[in-house]
Amino acid sequence: MAVISFNDGWVCRAPLGPFAAGGEGAPAVPVRLPHDALRDAQRSPEAPSGGAGAYYPPGAFTYLKSFTVPAEWEGRVVRLEVQGAFRRAQVFCSDEFAGNRADGYARFFVDLTPYLRHGRENVLRIEVRSGQDSRWYSGAGLHRPVLLHVDAPVHVVPDGVRVSTLRLEEDQAVVEVATTVANAGLSTRTAVLSTTVTGPDGRQVEREDTPVTLAPGERSLLRQRLYLQDAALWSPDQPSLHTARVGLGGDPLTDVLVTFGVRTVTVDPRKGLRINGDPVLLRGACVHHDNGPLGAAAVGRAEERRVELLKAAGFNAIRAAHNPLSPAMLDACDRLGVLVVDEAFDVWTRFKTPYDYAADFPQRWAADLEAMVAKDHNHPSVVMYSIGNEIVEVGTAHGARLARTMAEHVRTLDPTRLVTNGVNMLLAVLDDLPAVLEPDGGLNEAMASMDDAFSTIGASEAATRRTTESSAALDVLGLNYAESRYAKDRELFPHRVIVGSETFPSKIGTLWPLVLQNPNVIGDFTWTGWDYLGEVGIGATAYAEDPQAVAALEREYPYLTAWCGDLDITGWRRPISYYREIVFGLRTEPYIAVLRPQHHDHTVTMQSPWAWSDSVSSWTWPGHEGAPVTVEVYADADEVALLLDGTELTRAAVGAQRPVIATSETVYRPGELAAVAYRGGREVGRTCLSTARGPARLVVTVDRERLRADDADLAFASIELRDAAGRLITGDDRPVTVQVDGAAVLAGMCSADPGTAARFDACTWTTFDGRALAVLRPTRAGRVGVTVTCGALEPVTLALTAEEIPAQR
């Protein structure tokens, strides 16, 4: 099998009307995939999707690519692999319809063989349409890579190699390599299927050769059982990867390479989740699929960087929310040792937005589950498949029938993994909500506190009764905001295993102890690990003195992000991230967060349970000298003392208002603020913040100076305002401008500001809390020059290199 990257040479434009095939007459923009066609559209407060879609308009776009088909491809099978096209993709080859897909995240293949004109130019056209079809920003276009597969008549079919660990023994691992081969020729053929397995060190550890005879048009499944002596096992702590090279006919250029991990996954209500027999608690992050300044584009390095930073922040698991992850992100999770719950759907048959997937689900769900499993099967990081998120139907008898049918379909496709579903009990009983809440004081009283309402409804008899059947179809019941069931279900359903599939970040201090106390609960997934576009402002604090403040979850334009992630869209860790790390027991050093002093005396009109305090880890607040300020210290301790330049200001007990937090009132004065944590009267840790002094200077750091000159690599440049001692200046934000020359382009730029009208395609952004981010994408091999300027500050220049890296076979 020859697999060719097909990401270059495209143009994108908006169609003019229903009969304007390919959008003739509209401006065509050259693009490199992956690409989000909607990212650079003009946001507007009148956008139909409102804050849910980050005030982006709906859009219809056409992608076009011309390519010449070599004459020697005559008689070969040529397929297009589209890893993600949002949404309702229609694929044409030389103006002939070749295939389509409704799901914007499903990986799918289109057979181009009947439509190709050999030795001549061919034109691919892929049309996509989006709008009011998600509860968050999804972008539009070919947001994941596109590949071309060229196969001989006798070949391994795409996704045709599946590796499974059958059992682990003391001295060996037994794995099965199941390979589907096909004969697209006109005569019977006999070939030898050769499979070679190499270990993490690259040395061969096993081989098997199996002859196979195929009649014309026939497919056959070959199972080869291999015995890996003293195999290195894959786990989150040691993500050891093996490679299987599978070939027919001895031509190494047509071999299929599959990376896999040797590991087993089991679960039960007493011993919890175990990987290779070892217990694992899921310290999980829900993540949406966008990449901030890149929009929805799933460029490989952006996906990898997110996984790196999430793991560095203490997470060991990711829940796809609420659509299957990209292959690039799964590859990164495999390499870095992060577990994955891959999720198929946000809706089944009942609409959540006017034009969402519910219209396509009844006809497409089985094929979409098959596509997800085919994509995931060889990724050891994937331990669970989720068949849905907050599905209303799980509270009905016929919804339970559907849940069981879907779960069994997944098990038929892959019996080695667990099946879950993210259940929101409130939605499951929504049609009977007044009656459910009457014993607890009625609807108005229960809804006065959102987290209390979720808890009350989640523990109700109606929720128990109406979700018992659909929950019984699962290996692990995912509960969204229903931790009130953790202990309750140990008694009611002693064989039930639970995961907190979606939880409020503000409650992790009480949630994680519940996970530790209840062996039937295997982990917690916060909403969210990484901030995202759309559902704007659900984690923002609204003040009465703010003219844009609204007493609702979503904020008004120009709000851009949800502002509820542990990490912001630049990848910077917010205070909640360090709080969580301490709660997890992964950090012993205290952490200081200061509530923004400009809001000290303001009235909070809205702070949802998805919000954290409006705080920054800074002791630099110019213009607020002598003003009152609130200081939070996160510490695993009994009490915390605050000292300014060595003089104690105040002491506060830890846990008085929230677990693992000491809150103190003081007055802001420049200097060194230290927090000293005590347990039993003995110091157990300290940390400090110092005021930035003197003139600001521009500091720019890149995550890599040498890039691969391909379509998957990026460099991320962090732009910061710091003083001469390297202290971040958070109270004096300024516009910064980035210029890129040579063999790369500025692919996107942003700050973490959740309420900005700035554009990601702009080369100038104002810093937010002293920081901004620029993303560079190589266009060819060569030198890359980067110049960053900020008014009268000394500019910063960087020299990078994009290198041509030969493909590995």
Side-chain angles (χ1 to χ4, degrees):
M1 176 187 296
V3 181
I4 303 166
S5 173
F6 232 45
N7 289 329
D8 287 323
W10 294 85
V11 297
C12 177
R13 57 191 177 194
L16 296 178
F19 302 107
E24 288 84 348
V29 179
V31 298
R32 182 177 222 184
L33 308 183
H35 174 255
D36 178 3
L38 196 62
R39 186 201 68 166
D40 299 335
Q42 185 61 48
R43 299 169 63 221
S44 165
E46 285 77 41
S49 64
Y55 298 103
Y56 276 88
F61 303 93
T62 296
Y63 288 80
L64 296 153
K65 177 182 173 70
S66 298
F67 65 107
T68 300
V69 178
E72 56 267 27
W73 286 7
E74 186 82 49
R76 292 183 174 268
V77 180
V78 181
R79 298 179 181 91
L80 191 71
E81 176 187 343
V82 182
Q83 293 190 354
F86 201 88
R87 179 164 108 73
R88 305 181 185 92
Q90 299 279 107
V91 181
F92 299 84
C93 184
S94 298
D95 285 335
E96 299 293 344
F97 174 77
N100 67 336
R101 196 73 176 212
D103 191 336
Y105 307 97
R107 175 168 163 263
F108 65 99
F109 295 85
V110 177
D111 188 357
L112 301 181
T113 311
Y115 312 105
L116 295 178
R117 298 178 296 191
H118 296 83
R120 299 166 56 191
E121 184 179 77
N122 292 253
V123 178
L124 270 178
R125 185 171 88 247
I126 303 179
E127 299 175 358
V128 294
R129 293 162 178 82
S130 70
Q132 291 182 271
D133 45 25
S134 292
R135 296 184 295 146
W136 56 88
Y137 176 83
S138 289
L142 303 181
H143 63 101
R144 292 177 180 173
V146 172
L147 307 171
L148 199 67
H149 296 244
V150 182
D151 291 303
V154 178
H155 60 277
V156 177
V157 304
D159 290 331
V161 179
R162 297 192 176 192
V163 185
S164 304
T165 303
L166 299 183
R167 63 180 184 271
L168 299 179
E169 299 176 354
E170 191 173 317
D171 59 345
Q172 67 177 2
V174 182
V175 301
E176 179 184 81
V177 181
T179 304
T180 300
V181 295
N183 181 6
L186 299 177
S187 60
T188 299
R189 296 283 301 277
T190 298
V192 176
L193 181 76
S194 298
T195 299
T196 303
V197 174
T198 54
D201 59 2
R203 292 186 295 178
Q204 180 176 323
V205 295
E206 256 286 40
R207 179 183 174 92
E208 178 74 3
D209 297 314
T210 305
V212 56
T213 299
L214 297 166
E218 184 179 14
R219 284 191 175 204
S220 185
L221 176 65
L222 283 75
R223 298 183 188 272
Q224 297 171 313
R225 188 163 293 190
L226 304 177
Y227 303 86
L228 312 184
Q229 303 301 307
D230 300 317
L233 304 184
W234 188 96
S235 70
D237 294 330
Q238 292 187 321
S240 301
L241 293 171
H242 290 69
T243 301
R245 179 184 287 271
V246 181
L248 286 165
D251 181 358
L253 294 179
T254 63
D255 288 353
V256 178
L257 296 181
V258 170
T259 301
F260 68 96
V262 179
R263 61 105 179 93
T264 59
V265 178
T266 60
V267 74
D268 71 56
R270 288 181 291 276
K271 297 181 179 179
L273 176 69
R274 287 179 291 171
I275 308 294
N276 306 324
D278 297 324
V280 175
L281 283 177
L282 300 175
R283 305 187 304 269
C286 296
V287 294
H288 268 321
H289 79 295
D290 73 76
N291 273 305
L294 300 177
V299 182
R301 172 56 190 157
E303 303 283 73
E304 178 183 59
R305 177 175 177 265
R306 277 205 290 168
V307 177
E308 288 175 349
L309 295 178
L310 287 166
K311 183 162 187 177
F315 293 109
N316 68 355
I318 287 173
R319 176 188 173 220
H322 303 288
N323 42 261
L325 292 180
S326 70
M329 182 165 274
L330 293 180
D331 287 340
C333 290
D334 291 345
R335 291 191 300 269
L336 297 169
V338 173
L339 302 172
V340 172
V341 179
D342 211 8
E343 193 156 79
F345 308 112
D346 186 50
V347 295
W348 289 355
T349 60
R350 299 193 185 184
F351 287 83
K352 294 179 180 177
T353 55
Y355 304 110
D356 67 25
Y357 192 67
D360 304 296
F361 176 87
Q363 298 80 28
R364 300 275 192 167
W365 68 261
D368 288 336
L369 286 177
E370 290 159 14
M372 182 176 72
V373 173
K375 170 180 65 72
D376 292 2
H377 191 282
N378 295 321
H379 289 282
S381 57
V382 179
V383 294
M384 272 187 272
Y385 299 118
S386 172
I387 58 176
N389 169 69
E390 298 189 341
I391 305 299
V392 178
E393 296 95 307
V394 300
T396 70
H398 290 287
R401 290 178 54 239
L402 182 54
R404 179 171 289 107
T405 301
M406 294 171 66
E408 290 306 319
H409 188 57
V410 171
R411 292 184 182 107
T412 299
L413 298 168
D414 183 358
T416 69
R417 288 180 172 89
L418 308 170
V419 179
T420 187
N421 192 6
V423 175
N424 186 317
M425 294 291 180
L426 186 151
L427 293 182
V429 299
L430 194 61
D431 58 352
D432 199 25
L433 205 52
V436 172
L437 293 173
E438 191 59 38
D440 296 285
L443 181 62
N444 291 335
E445 184 174 329
M447 294 305 288
S449 170
M450 185 179 299
D451 49 346
D452 288 344
F454 277 107
S455 179
T456 299
I457 295 165
S460 68
E461 183 277 333
T464 301
R465 170 171 40 82
R466 293 183 60 166
T467 62
T468 295
E469 184 179 356
S470 62
S471 299
L474 308 170
D475 301 306
V476 178
L477 171 60
L479 290 178
N480 290 10
Y481 314 109
E483 65 274 9
S484 55
R485 298 206 66 91
Y486 290 178
K488 182 184 185 78
D489 281 3
R490 287 180 63 186
E491 303 298 326
L492 289 178
F493 305 99
H495 297 144
R496 175 178 287 180
V497 180
I498 293 171
V499 66
S501 46
E502 195 168 309
T503 63
F504 293 122
S506 59
K507 298 182 68 175
I508 189 60
T510 55
L511 292 170
W512 193 247
L514 290 178
V515 174
L516 298 177
Q517 294 161 15
N518 291 281
N520 58 323
V521 182
I522 63 174
D524 176 277
F525 285 85
T526 189
W527 190 267
T528 58
W530 194 286
D531 200 18
Y532 59 97
L533 309 181
E535 291 186 318
V536 298
I538 67 168
T541 301
Y543 298 97
E545 293 76 6
D546 180 356
Q548 289 189 321
V550 291
L553 281 181
E554 290 184 356
R555 301 294 299 277
E556 294 179 352
Y557 179 85
Y559 251 81
L560 175 67
T561 72
W563 199 237
C564 63
D566 275 32
L567 281 71
D568 65 34
I569 63 169
T570 73
W572 185 257
R573 293 178 64 182
R574 299 175 64 210
I576 174 62
S577 174
Y578 294 92
Y579 176 77
R580 185 184 310 279
E581 193 177 19
I582 293 171
V583 170
F584 282 157
L586 303 176
R587 177 187 175 95
T588 57
E589 180 185 351
Y591 185 83
I592 303 173
V594 181
L595 272 65
R596 298 177 190 272
Q598 62 266 37
H599 298 306
H600 186 271
D601 295 322
H602 290 182
T603 302
V604 175
T605 60
M606 182 66 191
Q607 193 172 59
S608 77
W610 287 284
W612 192 244
S613 63
D614 191 8
S615 59
V616 184
S617 184
S618 174
W619 197 240
T620 302
W621 301 102
H624 295 279
E625 292 79 3
V629 66
T630 304
V631 179
E632 298 175 339
V633 179
Y634 314 149
D636 183 9
D638 299 331
E639 65 174 351
V640 170
L642 281 183
L643 294 79
L644 184 63
D645 294 331
T647 300
E648 184 170 321
L649 301 175
T650 182
R651 286 192 178 223
V654 173
Q657 298 175 353
R658 183 176 286 175
V660 198
I661 296 183
T663 303
S664 298
E665 295 292 327
T666 186
V667 172
Y668 171 66
R669 294 191 300 272
E672 182 182 82
L673 182 72
V676 183
Y678 296 93
R679 185 184 302 114
R682 183 175 63 86
E683 180 178 331
V684 292
R686 68 169 58 207
T687 192
C688 66
L689 293 175
S690 296
T691 305
R693 300 178 183 276
R697 63 190 183 94
L698 200 56
V699 177
V700 183
T701 55
V702 289
D703 64 339
R704 54 187 58 203
E705 295 181 350
R706 307 181 79 86
L707 295 86
R708 300 184 314 275
D710 62 20
D711 49 41
D713 210 1
L714 301 165
F716 288 82
S718 295
I719 304 166
E720 298 172 329
L721 301 174
R722 293 187 178 269
D723 69 3
R727 293 173 290 226
L728 187 67
I729 300 173
T730 55
D732 186 17
D733 286 311
R734 311 178 187 191
V736 294
T737 299
V738 176
Q739 179 182 340
V740 182
D741 300 304
V745 295
L746 180 64
M749 190 174 176
C750 72
S751 75
D753 187 353
T756 177
R759 295 171 59 94
F760 293 131
D761 59 348
C763 61
T764 299
W765 270 70
T766 298
T767 59
F768 179 75
D769 290 337
R771 303 184 66 259
L773 180 74
V775 187
L776 316 176
R777 191 173 191 185
T779 56
R780 63 184 186 277
R783 303 288 291 175
V784 178
V786 182
T787 303
V788 184
T789 56
C790 180
L793 301 186
E794 185 73 22
V796 175
T797 59
L798 303 172
L800 286 66
T801 303
E803 301 175 328
E804 205 73 59
I805 306 295
Q808 300 294 315
R809 292 296 298 177

